[in-house]
Structure formats: C-alpha cells, structure tokens
Amino acid sequence: MTFAQFLIDAFALIPRLNFQFQWTKDIFNLNWRSEYFQSLALLACLGAAISLLLLITIIIVWICQSCRKNEATGKTRRRVRRLSTCLFIISVLCFIMLGLCLFANEHVNRGMSMSINSVINSQRSYKISMIQIAQFQESALNTTVHLKALEDQVHEESKKTKNATIVQQIDQILTNITDEVDILAKNGKLFDQKHGADQETLENLRKFLSTYESERWAFLVIVLSITMCVLFAGVIAFCKQSKKGAVVFSAIGFFIFLVVWVLISVSLPATVALSDFCRDGDQVTREQLSNLYDTVKFYNTCVPATSHDNLPAPIAKHVALLNNIPNSKSQLDRLMEVAFNGSQAVTNASSVVGNDITEMLKHSGAVSSSSSCYVFHDDVKNFYYGVCDQAVAGMSIYLMSVFVLGILLFILLIVVSKTWHLFSRLPHEYVEVDEDDPFFPRGTTDSTIPVDIYGTHVYNPRTRDRTEPSTNTTSGTTAADEQTAPLWSQNTTTQLANNSMARQPFMSDHPYGNYGDRYDM
C-alpha cells in the first residue's frame, strides 16, 4: 500500500453527512444539488466553525488585555526577554509550517502538471489514431466503388461463359468481399461519429486542469508569501521589543489568521473530494468522458506489448473484418482466371480492387500501430498517478500543515497581546534591572561606593587637600612621597609664641608665593 492509498483510505473514514445529518450514499457527485455536495459543504462549515470559535477567543483576550491597568511595576527585563523568546519560537514554528505548505503546493503542482502533460500527449496520439482510422475508412469507401465496377465486369463476362457453377462461386465470393468492405466503411463512419467529440472532451479536460492548477498555485504562493513577510516583520518587532511593531503585527496578523482559516475551510472538502474521486470516481468519469470512458479504462488496465492485436474492442473489431478479405480475394482471382480465360477487362478491374485491398491493409497496420496499448498506456497511467498519488499526497500534507499553521497563529496572537504593556516605554530614564544584577545589586547604597574610583584626582589641585588614600592608579607618585598639603602652604611657619616678628621665608616675594590667588578659583 502506497502512502497516497493510505491517505485515501483514511479520508474515507470521514463521515459524509447531508443537511439532515444523515449518512449520504452519494460518492463523488459533481452535481451541486446532490447530497454529496451537502456533505462537502458541512465539512467546510466545520472548518469555519472552528475558526469562528478561535476568533471569538482572540477578541475576548484582546479586550481583556486592553482593559488591564497599565502599570510599570513588574516589567523586569527577564520577563520581557522570556516573552520575546516565546514569540520568536512560535514564529519559527510558523515559518516551518509555511515551508511545508509551499513544499506541498509544489508537490501538488508537479502531480497536476504530470497529469496535464499526459492529457496533452494522449490528445496528440488520439488525433493521430483518428486520422489513421479516417484514412482506413476512406480506403474502404474507394474499395466499395471499385468492387462495384468489378461486379459489373463479372456480370458482363458471365454471359459469355457456360460454366455457371464457377460463376456462381465467383459471385458469392465477390458478394462476401463487398459486404465486408461495406461494413468496414460503415463502421469507420459510425466510429468517427461516435468518437468525433473525444478530441473536444480531451481539450476541455486539459483547459480545466491547466486553468485550475495555475490559479490555485499562484494564489497559494501569493498568500503564503504575504504571510511569511508579515511573520518576518513580527519577528523583527519581537527582537526589538517594540510596542508599535507588536501592535501593528497584531492588526495585520488578525487578517492573516482569517485568511489561513479560510484556506483550511476550503482545503478540507477539496482534499476529501479528490480522495473520493480516486477511490470511487468511475461513475462521474463515465458521465464526463462518455464514449471515451471504455477506451481510457482499457488503456489503463492493458499490458503493453509490441503486437498489433492489443487494441480497444471497437477498433479491434473494426480491424478484424479485414483479416479474411485477402484470402477471399486470392480465391476470387483464381476462379475468375478459370472462368473468364484471363479477360483483360476483368483482370484490370480485379487489379484495381487488389490495390485497394493492399492499401486497406497498410492503413489497418497504421491503425493498429497508432491505437495499440503501448501508445496510450503510460500516458493514462501517468494521469492517474499525478492526480491520485502525487496530488493526493501533496494536498494531504498541505492540509495538515496549514491546519497547524492556523493553530500556531492563534497562539501567537494570544501571546502577542501581552506585549502591548510589557513592550511599552517605562516612565523613568533609567533601565529597570533585576534583583540579581551582578554589576549593580539593589542592596548596595551610595555610601559604600568610593568617591573616585578611576584616579581622576591625580594632578588635580582641587582634590589635593583631601586625605583619602591613594588608589595607586598612576606610576608618577607613590604613597611614601605623596604630598598631603598644597604646595603654597609647605613653606609657611606658625606664629611665634613670644610675639616676635616672624622671619620672612626665602624668596617670599617670588611670584610662586601667590599660587593660591592665581590658581585657587
């Protein structure tokens, strides 16, 4: 059992109910008023009901999120990061489902293209076969005219001979040949009238399949591509933690969600109908193909062989009438040679009929070659293989993928509503941090932080009156020789206890003495 056959059997388990919710006996009926169409409509309504339920859930959740009080408390970086990661993972899963949908769409397109090419090849081969049958019929019509002329000559010569027995045999054989050739001509005409519309039927089938497949493929590619672009924009917004991007994605994603579930509602009955056609579509095929149905069925089940007798029943019967004519013609020539002593008129008329029979044999061989099983078998097989194997498998994969995509979009729209507040800008300029931030823990106070931890006080005259220990951040000074007082106060002395005049320091009038006035600003 192939994978497609397993899927066809699995879809057969789905109940087909009419509008009265009773099991319908119709199997793949194209009449839109039939109970089978009612069952397909109920399957479409099932998908619509599920989408409506999910849609109401989304609307209720969004209303609740909009009515929530927008508080800045609790908006920790960890919570936002977790939410962004969750949205990113869901978006990646959506991308995977979109990829599977595109793959399934191409798979269906490949199967339908194979079937369309099979119809084109069958149409071309069938046209050649019909041309050969028409030429065979035309040759039979010409032979009947020449046989009539031979009969007239035989009647004329029979008046001159006295061998009535031989003349009677000649007349009997000639009548049999004429009747068989007349049957060939009439059958060829009837066959042409009966199967003349087959070319139009094949052409209509080709146009329908080509139009349907091209429109279906292009529509799904466009819709899935738009969905992929929207998801990509949403991923960017989630990574940037943008409130505006999340809100815009919610609005566009809402319509994408509706489109995806519309596709689900349409794909479910379409897939079921396709599987039903491959399982029990003979009745509809017979109605649509009419006289061509038996021929298609023969070519689908026949075993290809190089022999020319492997033909459909109508053509085989048509060609088989010619098998006895050459032997009868040879017997007729011998009898006429004996009865009419090689009459020139009879010989000439018989020669013309012999050429016509030879021509008919050639056309008979052409008909057998152009209508044999090996000419159409592969094309008919490929048609059913493309529709009932490749297309069924592709539609099934697409249905499952788009269904999972619809569920993921539902979850994504629910989760993204939580970002409307978490991704909003905080009322402070600083960035909120967690309790376990290793660089700035919440328990640390400003009193325990050093005043100057980067050593910027070195060579700064404003900070030289401070007594904090050196941070040893420079190599120009050490703790041993670091000055603890300003330069301008190093040479000053204290007031003498006995009120005697203080001694002027050396070079007290030097400009260096007013260092404080010049630089202490």
Side-chain angles (χ1 to χ4, degrees):
M1 177 183 295
T2 61
F3 177 67
Q5 186 61 44
F6 170 76
L7 293 174
I8 291 174
D9 295 339
F11 283 116
L13 300 177
I14 298 177
R16 273 68 165 174
L17 304 177
N18 56 18
F19 287 162
Q20 287 76 31
F21 295 99
Q22 297 177 355
W23 193 283
T24 177
K25 296 181 180 180
D26 280 345
I27 299 177
F28 193 72
N29 192 344
L30 292 179
N31 186 5
W32 64 274
R33 296 181 178 179
S34 63
E35 292 186 353
Y36 180 76
F37 252 68
Q38 295 180 9
S39 64
L40 295 181
L42 287 179
L43 290 177
C45 293
L46 176 62
I50 296 175
S51 64
L52 182 61
L53 180 62
L54 298 179
L55 183 64
I56 294 175
T57 304
I58 292 174
I59 293 175
I60 294 175
V61 172
W62 282 11
I63 292 175
C64 295
Q65 288 292 336
S66 300
C67 295
R68 285 184 58 189
K69 186 177 180 181
N70 188 6
E71 297 179 355
T73 58
K75 298 179 182 178
T76 61
R77 185 184 298 273
R78 174 177 293 180
R79 186 178 179 185
V80 173
R81 185 166 55 248
R82 288 176 179 175
L83 186 59
S84 300
T85 304
C86 180
L87 291 173
F88 180 80
I89 293 174
I90 298 175
S91 300
V92 170
L93 294 177
C94 290
F95 277 118
I96 294 175
M97 292 300 107
L98 282 172
L100 288 177
C101 289
L102 290 173
F103 165 76
N105 187 39
E106 291 296 328
H107 202 278
V108 175
N109 181 257
R110 184 179 63 180
M112 295 302 295
S113 299
M114 183 184 300
S115 299
I116 294 172
N117 292 332
S118 299
V119 174
I120 295 174
N121 295 334
S122 299
Q123 185 180 5
R124 185 185 304 112
S125 300
Y126 197 78
K127 183 178 181 179
I128 295 174
S129 177
M130 292 297 293
I131 291 175
Q132 298 296 335
I133 292 175
Q135 291 179 353
F136 184 40
Q137 176 198 1
E138 183 179 359
S139 178
L141 290 174
N142 294 333
T143 305
T144 56
V145 175
H146 295 154
L147 283 172
K148 180 63 177 176
L150 179 59
E151 287 179 354
D152 295 339
Q153 292 295 328
V154 168
H155 288 163
E156 288 293 330
E157 293 294 331
S158 63
K159 297 176 181 179
K160 302 175 182 180
T161 183
K162 297 180 180 179
N163 196 344
T165 304
I166 298 178
V167 172
Q168 187 178 2
Q169 293 178 358
I170 292 174
D171 187 66
Q172 182 66 36
I173 295 174
L174 189 59
T175 301
N176 292 336
I177 294 175
T178 303
D179 291 341
E180 290 178 353
V181 173
D182 285 338
I183 293 174
L184 286 174
K186 291 179 181 179
N187 286 348
K189 185 177 181 179
L190 292 174
F191 187 86
D192 182 66
Q193 292 176 353
K194 187 176 182 180
H195 295 275
D198 292 347
Q199 290 288 326
E200 184 178 358
T201 302
L202 292 175
E203 179 63 18
N204 292 335
L205 179 61
R206 183 196 65 82
K207 289 181 179 180
F208 172 76
L209 292 178
S210 300
T211 303
Y212 165 77
E213 178 56 24
S214 61
E215 297 296 335
R216 185 203 63 80
W217 180 86
F219 176 77
L220 288 182
V221 167
I222 293 174
V223 172
L224 295 177
S225 299
I226 294 175
T227 305
M228 189 171 295
C229 293
V230 172
L231 280 175
F232 184 75
V235 169
I236 296 177
F238 302 151
C239 293
K240 290 185 176 182
Q241 300 177 3
S242 171
K243 176 184 176 181
K244 183 178 180 180
V247 172
V248 172
F249 173 79
S250 299
I252 302 177
F254 183 80
F255 293 100
I256 294 297
F257 171 81
L258 293 179
V259 171
V260 169
W261 276 95
V262 168
L263 293 179
I264 295 173
S265 301
V266 174
S267 301
L268 177 59
T271 306
V272 172
L274 182 61
S275 64
D276 288 342
F277 166 75
C278 296
R279 183 169 54 92
D280 295 299
D282 287 344
Q283 181 178 356
V284 175
T285 305
R286 184 186 296 274
E287 294 176 357
Q288 297 298 319
L289 296 181
S290 185
N291 298 320
L292 190 60
Y293 172 78
D294 293 332
T295 305
V296 172
K297 187 175 181 180
F298 167 79
Y299 286 123
N300 186 37
T301 57
C302 69
V303 178
T306 57
S307 59
H308 290 174
D309 57 349
N310 199 358
L311 300 172
I315 300 179
K317 294 179 181 178
H318 185 64
V319 173
L321 294 174
L322 189 61
N323 295 335
N324 297 326
I325 293 179
N327 295 330
S328 300
K329 179 62 173 57
S330 300
Q331 185 180 0
L332 178 65
D333 290 339
R334 291 193 299 269
L335 292 174
M336 287 190 300
E337 182 69 22
V338 173
F340 305 128
N341 296 322
S343 173
Q344 189 65 31
V346 175
T347 302
N348 292 336
S350 178
S351 177
V352 173
V353 172
N355 293 333
D356 290 339
I357 293 175
T358 302
E359 190 71 17
M360 290 176 60
L361 290 173
K362 291 180 180 178
H363 289 301
S364 175
V367 169
S368 300
S369 298
S370 60
S371 304
S372 185
C373 175
Y374 65 85
V375 177
F376 292 91
H377 177 75
D378 290 341
D379 291 328
V380 176
K381 270 293 185 181
N382 288 336
F383 174 82
Y384 282 101
Y385 176 76
V387 172
C388 296
D389 191 279
Q390 299 294 304
V392 169
M395 285 295 294
S396 302
I397 296 174
Y398 168 77
L399 177 62
M400 291 182 286
S401 300
V402 76
F403 179 77
V404 176
L405 177 63
I407 299 299
L408 290 175
L409 285 176
F410 167 74
I411 298 174
L412 186 63
L413 292 177
I414 293 294
V415 177
V416 77
S417 62
K418 298 182 178 297
T419 64
W420 297 349
H421 299 314
L422 292 180
F423 284 178
S424 61
R425 180 174 296 178
L426 296 175
H428 305 288
E429 295 182 356
Y430 62 85
V431 179
E432 190 75 12
V433 295
D434 292 338
E435 291 81 358
D436 55 349
D437 187 3
F439 298 101
F440 188 52
R442 292 183 179 270
T444 306
T445 59
D446 294 340
S447 59
T448 60
I449 301 177
V451 177
D452 194 348
I453 62 174
Y454 295 107
T456 56
H457 63 287
V458 180
Y459 299 116
N460 187 349
R462 297 185 182 182
T463 59
R464 294 193 179 187
D465 56 346
R466 301 179 184 179
T467 59
E468 66 269 19
S470 174
T471 57
N472 293 329
T473 57
T474 62
S475 59
T477 58
T478 60
D481 57 357
E482 183 180 6
Q483 299 176 356
T484 60
L487 294 174
W488 59 85
S489 62
Q490 289 183 3
N491 292 329
T492 58
T493 56
T494 58
Q495 188 73 20
L496 296 179
N498 53 2
N499 293 329
S500 63
M501 183 178 292
R503 184 178 178 180
Q504 291 281 344
F506 178 70
M507 297 180 64
S508 60
D509 56 348
H510 195 272
Y512 185 77
N514 59 355
Y515 180 89
D517 297 334
R518 295 175 62 185
Y519 298 102
D520 194 5
M521 302 175 61

